[in-house]
Structures are given as structure tokens and as C-alpha cells.
């Protein structure tokens, strides 16, 4: 049975380490915050200028001046700090963030990622994604294994405009987990969802990888 | 020097001209200079180039200036949540320069700090790098990005003293701080103006040198884009 969104987020959470500073993207990556192991200190960064993101506020305590990068109301922690967007991205670009978890439309076998636009169709923009993939130490992509049309998303070369070139370290899909030790290596299939076979993964993947 | 003006229209008097470039603070609808945007709309100045992380939403924030077609070009990182923007862009009526969020923040910070350009790894190998100078440092590729210097910056703060020293509140600081440094004419609106000496000098986020004109914008009816809450645990 393929993993659902929560399973994928929980799998990504297993990559967290005590003391990590982490930036989570919008969508499934946000759910990683619900899966931080008990007793582990992980500080979440929000690129709009905050370290130490707390849970959603109690009803009646929402504050328009306190939102995450997805523009959702959040709360602060005793350890929270605030800073400007330029300080925030100095932190990101400067390699001070340990890990980021992002969604993607396509990942290529060489670690390229595309997640910001579909020419002629979707024109939302890249937000902070290009900065994150360029600056954060470890890049994890969480995405469905195939698109809504059933097309593979882990492919030989991206067809959409890139967000970053040769930057992805790990891919977690609803079917499997791929990892590579460095940016010169192929990805290796290291895990599959319960009941998912290597043949099924191979049948839904056009990228080259070590099986 | 008197920095405090009676309202947004008075604070912008003599500063607006067609074709000008404006840096605007805010992230989504959080910390946007809404009184100043309203005054720019009322003035009718047009062919604006606006550097702002987002373009508001339909009918809110910079979305108001899009609706009136006063903006010719946006320099932004993310413009989702705005149907009118999408329509104008796809119809070729609005020019858009997509700029990675961190690069935009740094372009404004650098512009304001007298740095006309800087090298960054962000965007290497993407559309963003096309036509830009590439340079290798220590075996890594970087691209040259230009600093931004605007004719006018508009920002929103929380409290200011009468000399223009300013503090922001929580995540409403965002782009307001770098945008405020990126021009020689920064107009700030705040929720409270206090006498000189009331703010702790060690806790000023934006020194008054950057704030040329100041208005009290209160009362504010701050908009929330996505209201999320959690249940209280049963006692």
C-alpha cells in the first residue's frame, strides 16, 4: 500500500537530528513539523523572518503580524527570534540551515529540481525555493511518485524550468525513498512503502537509479 | 527636522511621478504599507515599477494598484493568490521580473548599502541566470545580481519615535527593513508614534536616518490570508 501524506511526512521526519535548524516548504513538508520525535530539539525557520515556529494559535489568539511563509497564522515559542527577510536569506544562503524539505513537480536523475512554474499556465513564482536549494546543507524532496496523469516525476531530465541544478539529496514519494551520498553519484533506491515492489517502482520511474 | 505628516497623501506630496520605481515592504498581506498604497491609488500616478515580494491579493495591498492599472512592472518572488495579476500577466499587459526571494531581499539591502552588485549561487543553472555574468569562486559557480535603488520606499512599522527610529512587530518586519534602506526617500507608516526617548536605543530595528517622512496610520484592520487555529486541550 502506498504511503499517504502523513506517512511521507513521518518518513522525512526520520532525517531530523537533535539540534537541527530546518526550513519546511508548503504542503506535505509542513506536516513534518507534526512528526518531530519526542525529546528532540528541532528549530523551524520561516523564511519571512522567524526562527522557532510554534503550533497554530488557539482560536481567538490569531495575530495578523505572526504568519509563516505560507501566510498561515502561527504562534511563537519561548526561544523564538524575529529578523528581516535579508537576514533570513543570509541565514539560508550562508549555509546555516541544516535541512530543508520541499515539494517538487519534477526531479531529474542528476538531482535537478523543478517546482516553480509551468510555462503559459502557472505563474506563481519561485518564492524562496531557489535560495533554499542553493544554500541549505541537505535537500529532501517529498512528492507523489507520478503526476495526476500518471506520468513519472522522477525522470532523466526535467522538462519544466529548473529551481536548482544538481541540488537534491533525497527523494521521498508515496512509493519509495531514494538517496545519494554526494552530488556526483546516482540516487539509490533505499526503501519502499509496504507492499510496493521494486518492479512497480521501476515501472513508474524513468530516471536512472541504483536499485 | 519635522518628519511627521498629517496623513499619507500629505507624506507623499511632491514625491510621485509617472514611470517611477517604488520599493514596498510586506510579505503577503503581513506588514504592508496599506495607507500609503491607498494614497498612491488616489493620486493616480502610473507606469510604476514596483519591487515587492508579493503583489497583494485581489483588491488588497498592491492588488489595488494592479486593478487600477497603475503598475507597469513588478519585481517579485511570488505572486500566487492574485487573479487580476495573473490575467494582466498572461495578457501581456503587465511586465514581471521574477526574482528569488532571498535575491530580492539582498538586492534591496545591497542597493541601500552602496553595493551595486553581488554574486550569489541562488538561481545558477535556471532561467534566473540567463544573460547574467557568471563567475567561479572556489570551484562553485555564482551569478551577478544588481542592487536595487528606488525613487521611493514605502514601509509599515509598529512604533516609531518622533525622530523616525522605528521598530517592527513579529513577522511584519520581513521586507520592510531592507526596502526602507533602498532609496533616499523612505516614507513609513506606523501604528504608534511615541516621544523621542521612549524607545530603547538598543532595540531599534531601523534607525531614523532611513525614515524621511512618517505618518500615524492607525487604526488598522489587519487582514489575515490564511487563518489557522488549533483546539484547546480539554481541562
Amino acid at each position: 500500500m502506498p504511503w499517504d501524506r502523513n506517512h511521507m511526512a513521518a518518513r522525512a521526519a526520520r532525517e531530523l537530528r537533535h539540534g537541527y535548524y530546518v526550513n519546511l516548504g508548503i504542503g506535505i513538508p509542513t506536516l513534518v513539523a507534526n512528526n518531530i520525535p519526542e525529546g528532540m530539539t528541532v528549530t523551524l525557520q520561516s523564511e519571512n523572518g522567524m526562527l522557532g515556529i510554534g503550533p497554530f494559535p488557539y482560536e481567538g489568539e490569531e495575530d495578523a503580524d505572526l504568519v509563516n511563509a505560507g501566510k498561515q497564522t502561527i504562534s511563537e515559542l519561548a526561544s523564538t527570534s524575529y529578523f528581516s527577510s535579508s537576514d533570513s536569506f543570509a541565514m539560508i544562503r550562508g549555509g546555516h540551515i541544516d535541512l530543508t524539505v520541499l515539494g517538487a513537480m519534477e526531479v531529474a536523475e542528476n538531482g535537478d529540481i523543478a517546482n516553480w512554474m509551468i510555462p503559459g499556465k502557472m505563474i506563481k513564482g519561485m518564492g524562496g525555493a531557489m535560495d533554499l536549494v542553493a544554500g541549505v546543507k541537505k535537500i529532501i524532496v517529498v512528492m507523489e511518485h507520478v503526476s495526476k496523469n500518471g506520468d513519472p516525476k522522477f525522470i532523466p531530465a526535467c522538462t519544466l524550468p529548473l529551481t536548482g541544478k544538481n541540488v537534491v539529496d533525497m527523494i521521498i514519494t508515496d512509493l519509495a525513498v531514494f538517496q545519494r551520498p554526494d552530488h556526483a553519484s546516482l540516487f539509490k533506491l533505499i526503501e519502499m512503502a509496504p507492499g510496493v515492489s521494486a518492479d512497480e517502482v521501476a515501472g513508474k520511474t524513468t530516471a536512472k537509479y541504483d536499485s | 527636522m519635522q518628519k511627521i505628516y498629517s496623513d499619507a497623501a500629505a507624506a507623499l506630496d511632491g514625491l510621485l511621478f509617472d514611470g517611477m520605481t517604488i520599493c514596498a515592504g510586506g510579505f503577503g498581506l503581513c506588514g504592508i504599507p496599506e495607507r500609503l498604497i491607498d494614497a498612491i491609488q488616489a493620486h493616480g500616478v502610473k507606469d510604476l515599477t514596483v519591487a515587492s515580494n508579493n503583489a497583494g491579493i485581489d483588491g488588497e495591498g498592491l492588488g489595488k494598484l494592479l486593478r487600477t492599472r497603475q503598475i507597469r512592472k513588478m519585481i517579485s518572488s511570488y505572486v500566487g493568490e492574485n487573479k487580476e495579476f495573473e490575467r494582466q500577466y498572461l495578457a501581456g499587459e503587465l511586465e514581471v521580473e521574477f526574482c528569488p526571494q532571498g535575491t530580492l531581499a539582498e538586492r534591496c539591502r545591497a542597493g541601500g548599502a552602496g553595493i551595486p552588485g553581488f554574486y550569489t549561487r541562488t538561481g545558477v543553472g535556471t532561467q534566473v541566470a540567463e544573460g547574467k555574468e557568471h563567475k567561479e569562486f572556489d570551484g562553485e559557480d555564482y551569478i551577478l545580481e544588481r542592487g536595487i535603488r528606488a525613487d521611493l520606499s514605502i514601509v509599515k512599522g509598529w512604533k516609531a519615535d518622533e525622530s523616525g527610529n522605528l521598530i517592527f512587530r513579529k513577522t511584519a518586519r520581513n521586507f520592510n527593513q531592507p526596502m526602507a534602506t533602498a532609496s533616499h526617500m523612505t516614507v513609513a507608516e506606523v501604528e504608534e508614534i511615541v516621544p523621542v526617548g521612549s524607545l530603547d536605543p538598543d532595540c531599534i530595528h531601523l534607525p531614523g536616518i532611513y525614515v524621511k517622512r512618517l505618518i500615524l496610520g492607525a487604526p488598522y484592520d489587519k487582514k489575515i490570508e490564511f487563518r489557522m487555529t488549533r483546539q484547546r486541550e480539554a481541562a
Side-chain angles (χ1 to χ4, degrees):
Chain A
M1 213 180 65
W3 283 315
D4 66 16
R5 291 161 54 91
N6 285 313
H7 288 128
M8 291 158 72
R11 178 61 190 83
R14 279 171 46 200
E15 300 304 313
L16 300 172
R17 299 291 178 269
H18 190 65
Y20 263 19
Y21 289 90
V22 174
N23 183 295
L24 301 176
I26 294 161
I28 301 175
T30 304
L31 303 174
V32 173
N34 304 333
N35 291 279
I36 299 170
E38 194 80 23
M40 185 185 282
T41 303
V42 169
T43 305
L44 300 178
Q45 199 246 20
S46 194
E47 62 262 33
N48 54 323
M50 178 184 197
L51 267 173
I53 307 176
F56 292 137
Y58 292 122
E59 207 173 306
E61 292 179 4
E62 308 94 305
D63 184 338
D65 289 340
L66 182 44
V67 298
N68 63 18
K71 289 117 183 171
Q72 299 171 317
T73 49
I74 45 165
S75 66
E76 64 185 18
L77 305 171
S79 60
T80 293
S81 58
Y82 299 109
F83 33 85
S84 70
S85 298
S86 43
D87 282 335
S88 178
F89 283 92
M91 216 174 266
I92 290 168
R93 201 187 303 105
H96 304 282
I97 306 287
D98 297 293
L99 175 77
T100 187
V101 185
L102 298 165
M105 297 189 267
E106 296 176 340
V107 177
E109 63 190 30
N110 67 350
D112 292 357
I113 174 174
N115 75 352
W116 76 281
M117 86 176 287
I118 303 172
K121 260 183 159 175
M122 191 196 85
I123 53 138
K124 292 176 188 298
M126 71 289 279
M130 284 191 184
D131 308 279
L132 285 162
V133 299
V136 175
K137 288 180 198 152
K138 181 171 180 173
I139 316 292
I140 299 180
V141 166
V142 176
M143 65 179 186
E144 302 295 326
H145 203 90
V146 298
S147 71
K148 287 196 179 83
N149 305 325
D151 299 324
K153 295 174 70 172
F154 182 29
I155 55 185
C158 290
T159 63
L160 297 169
L162 294 185
T163 307
K165 208 165 174 46
N166 189 13
V167 293
V168 177
D169 297 292
M170 182 180 235
I171 307 164
I172 299 170
T173 76
D174 51 330
L175 302 184
V177 181
F178 302 88
Q179 191 175 25
R180 58 177 184 166
D182 57 68
H183 289 186
S185 303
L186 274 183
F187 282 91
K188 186 174 171 51
L189 174 65
I190 59 166
E191 271 174 59
M192 283 165 281
V196 172
S197 69
D199 280 351
E200 182 181 354
V201 173
K204 291 177 175 171
T205 309
T206 51
K208 192 162 66 171
Y209 59 89
D210 280 333
S211 43
Chain B
M1 200 183 79
Q2 178 56 252
K3 291 186 176 178
I4 302 171
Y5 287 70
S6 56
D7 59 26
L12 291 171
D13 186 43
L15 303 183
L16 302 176
F17 58 93
D18 290 351
M20 72 189 298
T21 298
I22 299 177
C23 278
F27 181 90
L29 298 180
C30 181
I32 54 170
E34 48 186 297
R35 300 284 173 266
L36 293 162
I37 291 170
D38 284 348
I40 290 169
Q41 183 187 21
H43 179 279
V45 63
K46 58 183 194 301
D47 293 329
L48 301 174
T49 294
V50 180
S52 169
N53 188 52
N54 313 95
I57 61 174
D58 289 312
E60 292 290 347
L62 292 171
K64 293 180 179 176
L65 303 185
L66 287 169
R67 189 186 270 177
T68 53
R69 313 290 296 276
Q70 287 169 269
I71 299 177
R72 183 182 62 78
K73 178 180 175 182
M74 287 294 310
I75 305 173
S76 301
S77 85
Y78 186 84
V79 296
E81 279 87 64
N82 195 325
K83 283 271 166 281
E84 176 61 13
F85 184 102
E86 196 162 335
R87 191 198 65 70
Q88 287 184 22
Y89 175 69
L90 292 174
E93 299 165 6
L94 175 70
E95 194 185 330
V96 180
E97 178 183 335
F98 280 113
C99 179
Q101 194 173 144
T103 297
L104 180 61
E106 187 63 14
R107 287 177 68 189
C108 295
R109 193 205 69 81
I115 296 172
F118 59 93
Y119 291 98
T120 177
R121 217 162 45 221
T122 301
V124 169
T126 76
Q127 278 184 7
V128 165
E130 285 170 16
K132 290 176 183 160
E133 184 198 322
H134 286 59
K135 193 175 167 89
E136 192 184 303
F137 293 90
D138 305 322
E140 288 261 13
D141 288 331
Y142 293 76
I143 54 173
L144 177 66
E145 292 281 3
R146 294 295 310 269
I148 292 176
R149 208 63 208 224
D151 299 305
L152 170 71
S153 295
I154 53 173
V155 300
K156 158 84 197 309
W158 179 36
K159 285 184 189 179
D161 70 18
E162 293 155 332
S163 74
N165 289 319
L166 200 151
I167 57 178
F168 301 101
R169 185 170 175 272
K170 302 185 189 285
T171 57
R173 188 181 322 185
N174 58 59
F175 275 85
N176 283 298
Q177 197 273 338
M179 292 304 192
T181 68
S183 83
H184 282 306
M185 181 44 74
T186 292
V187 182
E189 56 178 87
V190 295
E191 298 177 35
E192 191 181 350
I193 299 176
V194 298
V196 167
S198 317
L199 300 177
D200 179 350
D202 267 333
C203 296
I204 303 294
H205 297 143
L206 183 71
I209 190 170
Y210 295 109
V211 178
K212 297 293 190 295
R213 299 185 182 188
L214 181 64
I215 61 159
L216 179 66
Y220 284 95
D221 173 27
K222 297 177 195 170
K223 302 279 191 311
I224 291 175
E225 271 183 75
F226 301 105
R227 186 179 298 274
M228 304 294 287
T229 58
R230 71 186 142 131
Q231 293 292 315
R232 246 172 235 284
E233 295 85 5

